[in-house]
Amino acid sequence: MIDTHCHLYDEAFDSDRAEAVARAIAAGVDTMLLPAIDSHSHAQQELLATAFPNHFHQMMGLHPTSVDDNYESELEIVHKKLFGDPGRYVAIGEIGLDLYWDKSHLDQQLDALRRQIRWARELNLPVCLHVRKAHNELFGLLRDLNFNTYRGVMHCFGGSLQEAHHAIEMGFHIGIGGVVTFKNATLAEVASAVPLDRILLETDAPYLAPVPHRGQRNESAYLPLVAEKIAVLRGIDVDEVACATTLAAQRLFSL
Ligand code: NI
């Protein structure tokens, strides 16, 4: 299985990072994708990816909650890394819109997202989108960009089934993680109804640990719990979920 979204370089793993990687591999999660946040964590991300080159792939991008008055210089760093060594990254992410924590930088978030989606097009890379309390704004931006189709994933999908179908029609995959194991009727509906080959498994570790670890630190070794829940919801074998989602991730990120 592939954990398409985890932050194992986060300081939450400072005391046992190598062990967390070993636990993931032992649990059948031998490939993990590392989305970037901002320049404060680039060094740690790079360090982890180069320490385990057979198990990690990196993304590069500016996270929407890191978009503040300083975002132009952060974007410059991202641009330099992406265009300086494009083969190094499997996607531009995580990028997007987040109006949950802070609504005051919406214009800057929109500008940063628009520019990074255009870079993805220039480099022929998929995007990893983080969208929180901003689905209307996101769909508006994508409509205005007016590309025929998009390549990417809506990570930690939190929209309605209708929004999921809309995203899939535009070309996106749906990232599903530990939240699917919580009592959440909307996400259960999405996880059972969308085409299996459009679902990507993810943990978003260290956040959003699945039941029975809810509230604790999340890690990639818990990814099978997500696969199992999706299998139960769809009434199919967990192997089928693992195979289809792994293939989808390999295709999308050219792994
Ligand atoms: Ni993330």
Side-chain angles (χ1 to χ4, degrees):
M1 274 172 273
I2 300 176
D3 187 351
T4 60
H5 194 116
C6 62
H7 303 272
L8 294 195
Y9 54 83
D10 187 276
E11 62 184 11
F13 294 97
D14 278 356
S15 62
D16 65 343
R17 188 167 288 107
E19 290 88 338
V21 174
R23 283 193 294 270
I25 296 166
V29 184
D30 63 352
T31 303
M32 291 155 269
L33 271 48
L34 300 173
I37 304 286
D38 59 36
S39 63
H40 297 289
S41 52
H42 288 166
Q44 292 95 309
Q45 178 187 332
E46 182 78 33
L47 208 63
L48 177 58
T50 43
F52 301 92
N54 298 326
H55 299 288
F56 286 98
H57 296 281
Q58 297 192 74
M59 305 183 196
M60 181 46 60
L62 179 61
H63 194 291
T65 61
S66 294
V67 170
D68 55 20
D69 296 329
N70 212 15
Y71 80 107
E72 293 273 2
S73 65
E74 281 286 329
L75 275 183
E76 220 166 280
I77 294 169
V78 169
H79 185 274
K80 207 173 270 175
K81 285 187 176 287
L82 281 170
F83 286 82
D85 191 359
R88 191 174 202 87
Y89 303 103
V90 296
I92 297 191
E94 51 185 297
I95 62 177
L97 301 173
D98 191 317
L99 299 180
Y100 180 80
W101 296 106
D102 177 16
K103 290 188 180 67
S104 64
H105 288 85
L106 176 60
D107 288 343
Q108 290 92 332
Q109 287 192 27
L110 289 166
D111 182 44
L113 177 59
R114 231 179 267 121
R115 281 157 66 176
Q116 292 181 98
I117 290 178
R118 290 206 178 101
W119 296 344
R121 173 125 324 198
E122 281 176 53
L123 293 168
N124 194 25
L125 285 172
V127 291
C128 171
L129 296 182
H130 166 114
V131 194
R132 197 158 181 209
K133 296 263 178 250
H135 284 85
N136 290 338
E137 289 82 354
L138 174 80
F139 285 121
L141 179 147
L142 295 174
R143 230 184 2 256
D144 293 346
L145 278 173
N146 202 23
F147 295 152
N148 283 334
T149 183
Y150 291 88
R151 271 177 70 220
V153 54
M154 296 215 176
H155 127 75
C156 194
F157 188 79
S160 65
L161 180 58
Q162 197 190 356
E163 286 166 333
H165 284 310
H166 191 184
I168 287 170
E169 274 164 34
M170 296 177 104
F172 287 103
H173 288 66
I174 304 294
I176 295 182
V179 178
V180 77
T181 67
F182 306 169
K183 284 198 192 330
N184 181 328
T186 307
L187 188 58
E189 196 186 9
V190 169
S192 11
V194 301
L196 188 56
D197 63 0
R198 288 307 192 94
I199 293 178
L200 299 185
L201 303 180
E202 61 170 55
T203 60
D204 204 15
Y207 312 105
L208 298 169
V211 172
H213 308 286
R214 187 172 182 179
Q216 300 161 21
R217 184 188 70 175
N218 196 5
E219 58 177 81
S220 296
Y222 298 160
L223 193 68
L225 294 165
V226 175
E228 280 157 23
K229 180 65 187 203
I230 294 173
V232 168
L233 286 169
R234 299 180 76 102
I236 59 177
D237 199 87
V238 68
D239 289 342
E240 197 181 329
V241 175
C243 282
T245 55
T246 298
L247 203 62
Q250 287 169 335
R251 280 208 189 110
L252 179 62
F253 298 107
S254 308
L255 304 178

